[in-house]
Amino acid sequence: QVQLVESGGGLAQPGGSLRLSCTASGIPTTLAAMAWFRQAPGKQRELVAVITTNGTTNIADSVKGRFTISRDNAKNLVNLQMDRLKPEDTAIYYCNAVAMFGARYWGQGTQVTVSS
């Protein structure tokens, strides 16, 4: 059974930090990339950050300079370090794993709320 387990979501103050983690397990093929998406109320799901197995990263302009994505390929682990959080970062954050042959797997989503 494919499973993506996420942790680290919750409530943070503006200017604060949170660290999201996700581990993919039970996937029968090698992963090409892992990524984080988010969806805020009234908005479409958007890509936040992606990292390939060779270390190439892409960060959305809205979070560039504040968020950092990292991974441990051997553990199929991906992290999202979120610093200097803003209220507009409030969203459900989803872990996504992309297999070499195109299959995509999603985490259940974890709520991040930034509010004073």
Side-chain angles (χ1 to χ4, degrees), residues 6-88:
E6 300 165 313
S7 63
L11 177 66
Q13 302 293 317
S17 297
L18 288 172
R19 184 176 179 86
L20 305 183
S21 296
C22 173
T23 300
S25 62
I27 299 176
T29 60
T30 302
L31 293 177
M34 298 188 76
W36 289 96
F37 289 74
R38 69 183 183 185
Q39 187 168 20
K43 298 184 65 177
Q44 295 294 111
R45 187 174 299 185
E46 64 177 347
L47 178 66
V48 177
V50 59
I51 185 165
T52 68
T53 53
N54 67 6
T56 300
T57 62
N58 187 36
I59 309 295
D61 288 341
S62 59
V63 303
K64 191 171 295 183
R66 299 187 296 117
F67 290 12
T68 303
I69 189 168
S70 61
R71 88 281 185 248
D72 182 337
N73 291 332
K75 298 180 179 180
N76 289 335
L77 172 70
V78 63
N79 297 316
L80 185 69
Q81 178 67 42
M82 305 184 294
D83 296 320
R84 302 193 302 280
L85 285 162
K86 303 176 180 179
E88 50 263 46

Side-chain angles (χ1 to χ4, degrees), residues 94-107:
Y94 298 90
C95 179
N96 176 244
V98 184
M100 284 290 187
F101 296 98
R104 290 181 176 268
Y105 306 93
W106 294 91

